[in-house]
Amino acid sequence: MWSRIRRLFVIKTKFEAFLVIYALALGAVERGVHYLELYPGYGGWLLFAVCPISVFMVGGILIDVAERRQHE
C-alpha cells in the first residue's frame, strides 16, 4: 500500500524533472520578489539573485538522476 503511494513522488523521467524544476523556479522568483520588497537596494537584489541560483544547482542534480533512472 505505502509503496504504491511512494511511487507517485518518484521522479522517473526528464519531463517530470523539468516540471519540478519549473515549480521550484516559480517559487524561488516569488521569494526573490518578497526579498526585494523587504530589503530595497543592493541587499535585496543580492538575495533575489541567490534564490534562482539554488534552483539551478538542484535542477542539474534532478536531471542527472532522471537520466540515470531512464538508462537503468
Side-chain angles (χ1 to χ4, degrees):
M1 170 70 177
W2 290 110
S3 64
R4 294 179 74 187
I5 294 173
R6 190 180 69 193
R7 281 191 324 194
L8 293 172
F9 299 100
V10 175
I11 299 171
K12 300 175 197 81
T13 64
K14 282 177 85 171
F15 180 72
E16 292 172 351
F18 286 129
L19 288 177
V20 170
I21 292 167
Y22 179 72
L24 288 172
L26 284 178
V29 170
E30 182 69 26
R31 171 65 95 178
V33 169
H34 287 297
Y35 282 144
L36 284 175
E37 292 173 0
L38 236 59
Y39 307 107
Y42 182 72
W45 282 105
L46 187 64
L47 289 170
F48 180 85
V50 171
C51 292
I53 289 173
S54 64
V55 175
F56 291 144
M57 294 184 333
V58 171
I61 293 170
L62 283 175
I63 292 172
D64 286 343
V65 169
E67 284 179 354
R68 287 187 189 140
R69 285 185 186 233
Q70 283 182 343
H71 294 301
E72 287 181 354

